[in-house]
Amino acid sequence: MRLGLRLTLRQNGNKPAGSQTEDQSAVGQGEDQPAANQPDERQNATPAEDQTESFPAVSMPGDVPTLAHEEYLPSTSAGSETEKWPAGSGTGDDPADVEADVRSAEDEATGQHAGNGAGDGSAAVETDGRSEGEAADPPAGSGADGKPAITHEEYVSAVSLEEARAAASKSGDGAPPPGARTAVLSGLARQWDQLGLGRRWDQFGLGRRAGGLWQRGVVTPWQRTIGRLGISRLWQPGPGVREAADPGARTLALVTAMPVILVVAWLVPGLLLLLVHAFLPAPMVLISVPLAVALTILVARELPGRWPAPDAVDGTTDTADPGAQPATGAQPATGAQPATGARSAGAQKRSRPWAAWWGLLGTVAVAAVFAVWQLMENSPQFIVSRDPGAFAQFAYWIADHGSLPIPTSAAAFGGAHPGLTFASFGFVTHGVAVVPGLAPGLPIVLAVGMWAHGVSGAVVLSPLIGALAILAVAGLTARLAGPQWAPAGALLLAITVPEIYTSRSAFSDTLAQALLFGGLALVVDSFSARRRITLASLGGLALGLTVLAGASFLLLLLPVIVVAGALLAGRKPQAIPLAAGWLAGVVVGLATDAALDPSALSTTTPSFRVIGALAAGLAVVTAAGVAVAMIGPARHSARKLLAARPLRWLPEAGATLVILAGVGLVIRPYLQKVHGPASPYVAALQRLEGLPVDPGRLYAESSVYWVIWYIGVPVLLLGLIGLAMVARMCLRALITWRDPTGAARSWVLPASIIGWGLFAVLWQPGTVPDQPWASRQLVPVVLPGLIVLAVWVAAWMIGRAHARGAGRTAIALATACFVIAMGVPPAAITFGIELSQPADPATRLALSGLAFRTTGAGEVAAVEQLCGAIPPHSSVVLLDKVAARAFAQVIRGTCGVPAGIVTDTAPGNVSAIIGGIERAGRHPALLATKAAELTPYGAAPREIVNLTTQQDAHLLTRPPTSTWPVRYSLWISQPGGTAVGA
């Protein structure tokens, strides 16, 4: 600290997040084993009763506000050696040393580094548990003069040099130095005291009056009522967090963790209630709301306030010695404290407190503007044409009935008939019931809107889910690139066409994005928190529950197996909670999918068999690696192999492989044309665009160019470079078992999932290739992952420039240039920004962008009109595939009328169905998209739906910049009587 105090606390110490102290075990190192470059302190350890765990109570002057007991460290046990304050600074340092420390602190205050973590300005004082004789020996990591190496956590807010000299020259009268009082004050109270405002306030007696009113009106009633329950302690940060964390960074961490907390708290009870056929509003609210509050309080207590800085990579890659051996034969010390001077420059300097608050306010502003923007341009699809309409009908059914499956009501048609089916797009027949062929996660979330305000309430949730997903991505950006970069990550994602497209309608991809990046953020937090189990298990659960948005997302989660195995080999406490939470989420999600739709696991792309084989292979390889790390002789042999050529070049080889894979994706269209089963739909689009007709083309070889369309070349290049750099860093930490800054631990799971998902999706997108429909495959991991990596590279370069002496103006200009360079390409395609005006009017219209274009307008009103036109006590028979695809489940679910589909429209089959309906005591109603289809059955047809609206474009070789018109028409006739609306 700035007064020169350094009192090392062994048990309650304030350790920097993501770094190692002398008494902290490294990654891959047993908790009771010393690091390779660290002396075994067990030989000189003092008894537990002699270790100082706290400071004695400090009396305050009258102008200092009264502090609650939570703001003090616990009192020191009697008889402790350190209970007495010696003369001088309290550490045995002479005034000259104190003055030098203060000068060093003032130099840091004027040249702070824009790193990642941020302190709150309060003192981070540590007490030394050694005896006086032991204190003479400098610990590992000491400076050249025997003085401890000072880190950025050991300083507090600015104290003048005169005050420090006065503190150092005081006699040992038992009174604590001024720094002790500063250590227990918050940053605001300390600034208030330093400015003398407290004394001026008390001159008029206002402080005593206000304090008395506050005490009598608020504090005393609270203590006598709710305070007796001890509830106020629940949301307070846990031990070590309270004394160290920056409040701005912790607030940012909590706000960006709220999306995944809310989604998990709603999904878990929703799944259970849906399986027991009790998915109703009352039990959902009674279970989910307390669960969300409990999870919020639990996570808020454990969230860290700082993370490893982006430029901490240098400390990992440059100081690691591949050939170093452990000193005691223990586990390889991957996180051991480096020698003096090896700590990176970014870890030595405090970051500015404003960075976290700027990141918080900027991120919330971007997410709020995005939500309002998408609400204004909301595009609800209630008629079933693709997945959004099917998801909306799925949500409507479970919100209205609280259970699955959907009955076919075959008795309303007089039983089974040849050529009569009940399956339609998104809904399959299973026995005597109809089951949705979609994952239940999104409908469970949309149901809350249905309960709140019907269909209009449900359509509001899609933009809100998109905004929550942006918050989650910004949260991971803040943790990996720095809080001040979170708004940039949120903004770059918010202006991409795929994010806008999937946030305006009911797509499950934004839900998967929120779960995936929210879970990764919690796992990253677990590596910087004092209590790791809670965050790791909840993060793993969120990752596993991603399969509720689609069983195919399991492919993206396979790297968790390898990462959990590496953590287990390193004996990290996050290993088992992470694996258990992830496995629980995956098992529950897949079991729910299979229980609600028995064919769900057989229709995934790629097939569930391929995903299972990949998972089994990774599990076997990971188990072998863990076994080698756990067995001493095998571990030592493996370390020798990794330290020798050519395996010692594995980090560089991994980085090179990432770059080569990216280059391969770029040149792939010139070497390969990907084909699949022939599709008449693709052939029709090819004829429409004037392309060579090839119905089997999948256009998957052009997937990397989809990415370029939507985020631009700068983000793609920076993202691939960032992935290569992070791969090198993580592989270096793995083979050397050294991670002194904690950056590799924070990056290993996000980089694994982003890198694996990036190449898996781009190699085989597994979708119909028309745009923007195919672009939804980029939403869960590809686009946000590349944006996070690109922003991290920008932060790393800015940090290096700052460390080399670049001024604030140059830093600000460089930051603005990075953001503009990355933001202009996606903004151009989204907003239709044109560098030149095309001469063709049609081309100018096509380049207007999708930012302010809506689709599906009028669909909800058309459905209401349809339901009102169907006569009561009717059974509806749809005569053509177009009408069946769009309206079968709408009639069955929304209108509440039995609906069947005729696959063979021979007059004899239709007449038999009509006769069965009449024998069942109901009225037959025939529906078709053309009036001519109804005339053979006698009754005069009439049109009940005539809607012309806009739909998304269907382009194969270029990005969409406009919408296409679409018309829905539906005719009805009632054989044997006049059709009368209900």
Side-chain angles (χ1 to χ4, degrees), residues 776-843:
R776 79 193 194 284
Q777 297 291 83
L778 308 177
V779 170
V781 67
V782 175
L783 296 186
L786 285 173
I787 287 173
V788 170
L789 287 165
V791 171
W792 177 81
V793 172
W796 179 83
M797 296 178 70
I798 293 296
R800 293 296 297 268
H802 198 177
R804 293 175 181 270
R808 293 184 178 181
T809 303
I811 293 297
L813 290 176
T815 302
C817 289
F818 270 117
V819 176
I820 293 174
M822 292 188 289
V824 166
I829 194 68
T830 300
F831 296 96
I833 301 174
E834 306 170 18
L835 299 180
S836 62
Q837 290 289 338
D840 184 9
T843 305

Side-chain angles (χ1 to χ4, degrees), residues 111 127 222 256 266 311 377 388 461 533 618 664 701 718 725 768 815:
T127 58
W222 175 275
T256 54
W266 186 261
D311 54 351
E377 306 298 329
L461 282 182
I533 295 178
L618 290 176
E701 68 275 4
L718 289 177
M725 292 174 60
V768 180
T815 302

